[in-house]
Amino acid sequence: MRVDEASPAPRVLIYSHDTFGLGHLRRSRAIANAIVARNRGARATIVSGSPVIDRFGFAPGVRTVRLPPVTKFRDGGYASLDADIPLARTVAQRSSIIVRACEDFRPNLVIVDKEPAGFHGELMPVLEAAASRGILLVLGLRDVLDDADRLVPEWERKGAAETMARFYDEIWVYGLSRIHEPLAALPMEAEMAARIGERLIYTGYLRRALPEPRADREEPAIASGPFILVTPGGGGDGAALIDWVIGAYEIDPGIPLPALIAFGPFLDAETRERFGARIRRLAGRISAITFDSEIEFLMRKASGVVAMGGYNTFCEILSFDRRAILVPRTEPRREQAIRAQAAERLGLVRVLMEADGRAPERMAAALRALPDQSEPSRVLVPGLLDGLDAVARRVRALAGAALESSCVRAFS
């Protein structure tokens, strides 16, 4: 094939380590779906450690490979989800599966989500092989990683900056620099900073759309009228938010809209049952579901949203133009708080910090005021939701560059 012929359809491998929650998987799914929708004949494979990946639908042309799952503790430590298997053995199994998936799929582009070397370095064999075979590599970063005092020692320990400079052709930040610059705090020598800086692209946030609904989709009765959606994402660290909202309804019968709480698949059963008992005493004012893999439909219908402020939920709030109260977590990372407070300064959301007090009256006052908040669209932020279009454009360009590189090697 001549280098001036049309480039082939992109073949994109997306690595998502997924040690906690749903954020990485949902971001990877949005990117993969957009790639195949915007590039004729494109195919994508998501390699993910999420234990609930089979509960999500994906666009035609997107397949998934599941890695043995690991779990993350609140202190930042990790273990195999199967407690009988040593973590080192699980990492070795995961690394072998990733290598095999790459060999079978033969991508011309690999997009790595957040971790430059993968979880515990499990991606290094793929990075080494890709570099030797001319497969282009992209590191995709959410808009905020963490506070500098937490991020810097972690990334220095992992050698993340060196890995970025050595292997990655481009670094995409799925956000805007005016909200946050996730790599600005990393101490780097001038030469390395320049190399990384020239590869850095801010795409804008990833716009979300309604998925194709499942044929058997059902929604709770409360969603047939005005309601507030309360979503702590995966739910593994969302108990405090749910407790605060239920407490507000318990002390204030005058909150104008009922609430629908989506517990999330990782909220433990005992806690969920305790919340369920309280919710049953508030029948008609609060309803709850365990999980909705198509939560975009509920987000679009809701009159307002109460959430923790994870990346994907924030994108959905912007995409569906929902009034929102964010209650960001601050442990083990401050990522959500940094994002939420930057968004509040722009007038996009309202923020309640738990550190300022968890009195139910504070939440009740915010819920009362929620219907009168301004929608995010009232604030003009250029390029705010251009992320998926930017990603699709870069995939086309990089796929063509990969073809040219392979042809040059073939004839050299």
Side-chain angles (χ1 to χ4, degrees):
M1 178 181 288
R2 301 193 317 269
V3 297
D4 60 345
E5 290 180 346
S7 63
R11 300 168 62 87
V12 183
L13 182 80
I14 300 175
Y15 164 82
S16 177
H17 66 288
D18 293 291
T19 59
F20 186 75
L22 298 174
H24 300 287
L25 171 61
R26 296 184 66 218
R27 180 164 58 248
S28 296
R29 179 183 67 156
I31 291 168
N33 288 351
I35 287 171
V36 299
R38 292 166 167 81
N39 294 282
R40 185 185 299 274
R43 288 196 285 164
T45 293
I46 299 175
V47 181
S48 168
S50 173
V52 295
I53 192 169
D54 56 348
R55 298 174 67 175
F56 287 86
F58 297 86
V62 179
R63 63 184 289 263
T64 62
V65 174
R66 181 173 170 178
L67 301 173
V70 297
T71 186
K72 183 177 183 179
F73 303 124
R74 291 192 66 85
D75 65 1
Y78 297 91
S80 303
L81 194 60
D82 184 340
D84 294 331
I85 300 178
L87 180 61
R89 187 190 305 172
T90 297
V91 171
Q93 291 173 340
R94 287 165 59 103
S95 186
S96 177
I97 292 170
I98 298 166
V99 169
R100 189 164 61 249
C102 194
E103 291 174 346
D104 292 345
F105 185 55
R106 293 177 290 108
N108 45 33
L109 172 64
V110 175
I111 301 175
V112 174
D113 187 62
K114 182 182 176 287
E115 291 287 345
F119 175 68
H120 281 220
E122 66 187 4
L123 201 62
M124 289 303 296
V126 167
L127 299 182
E128 297 277 4
S132 66
R133 298 173 188 171
I135 299 171
L136 296 179
L137 292 165
V138 170
L139 178 65
L141 301 176
R142 65 183 181 228
D143 58 338
V144 183
L145 295 173
D146 203 349
D147 257 348
D149 60 349
R150 305 185 192 191
L151 178 66
V152 170
E154 176 187 348
W155 277 44
E156 286 185 335
R157 173 174 53 83
K158 295 177 178 178
E162 291 80 6
T163 302
M164 283 191 293
R166 177 183 173 192
F167 289 107
Y168 286 96
D169 299 280
E170 292 188 354
I171 301 163
W172 300 343
V173 177
Y174 306 126
L176 296 178
S177 59
R178 67 177 296 184
I179 290 182
H180 192 70
E181 298 181 41
L183 301 180
L186 293 179
M188 292 181 278
E189 295 181 358
E191 182 180 351
M192 180 181 293
R195 290 206 306 271
I196 291 175
E198 66 187 11
R199 305 173 196 179
L200 192 62
I201 297 172
Y202 285 87
T203 67
Y205 289 89
L206 306 178
R207 184 186 296 275
R208 305 305 167 85
L210 296 177
E212 187 69 28
R214 298 188 311 270
D216 60 347
R217 178 172 178 78
E218 296 181 359
E219 292 181 350
I222 199 171
S224 62
F227 70 98
I228 296 171
L229 176 64
V230 182
T231 170
D237 55 359
L241 169 63
I242 296 170
D243 175 72
W244 200 1
V245 171
I246 295 175
Y249 279 88
E250 288 172 334
I251 64 100
D252 189 344
I255 296 172
L257 295 177
L260 172 61
I261 300 176
F263 288 135
F266 303 124
L267 182 69
D268 68 90
E270 183 179 345
T271 303
R272 188 167 62 242
E273 180 53 38
R274 287 201 304 269
F275 286 148
R278 295 169 65 187
I279 288 170
R280 286 190 289 274
R281 293 193 288 270
L282 294 164
R285 301 182 60 220
I286 301 184
S287 182
I289 58 175
T290 298
F291 177 57
D292 187 346
S293 64
E294 300 172 332
I295 201 169
E296 295 91 343
F297 287 101
L298 295 176
M299 183 81 69
R300 183 66 183 86
K301 289 182 176 181
S303 301
V305 177
V306 182
M308 293 174 62
Y311 181 86
N312 294 286
T313 302
F314 182 61
C315 288
E316 288 159 352
I317 287 167
L318 298 180
S319 299
F320 300 123
D321 202 22
R322 299 298 88 181
R323 302 174 175 91
I325 301 167
L326 297 186
V327 185
R329 73 170 185 231
T330 56
E331 295 294 338
R333 300 187 184 277
R334 293 201 70 253
E335 162 237 333
Q336 292 185 0
I338 294 169
R339 177 184 302 111
Q341 290 169 332
E344 185 177 49
R345 287 192 293 271
L346 287 174
L348 298 170
V349 299
R350 178 177 180 180
V351 175
L352 294 183
M353 297 298 296
E354 290 188 76
D356 295 330
R358 291 188 66 251
E361 291 81 5
R362 284 188 69 217
M363 178 62 73
L367 293 170
R368 280 178 171 271
L370 184 58
D372 297 321
Q373 277 184 217
S374 295
E375 298 93 342
S377 62
R378 299 288 295 274
V379 181
L380 180 61
V381 182
L384 183 64
L385 286 167
D386 288 352
L388 291 178
D389 289 335
V391 165
R393 287 195 302 270
R394 292 310 304 153
V395 166
R396 282 195 297 273
L398 291 174
L403 170 67
E404 181 174 347
S405 175
S406 65
C407 290
V408 168
R409 289 196 309 275
F411 287 99
S412 61

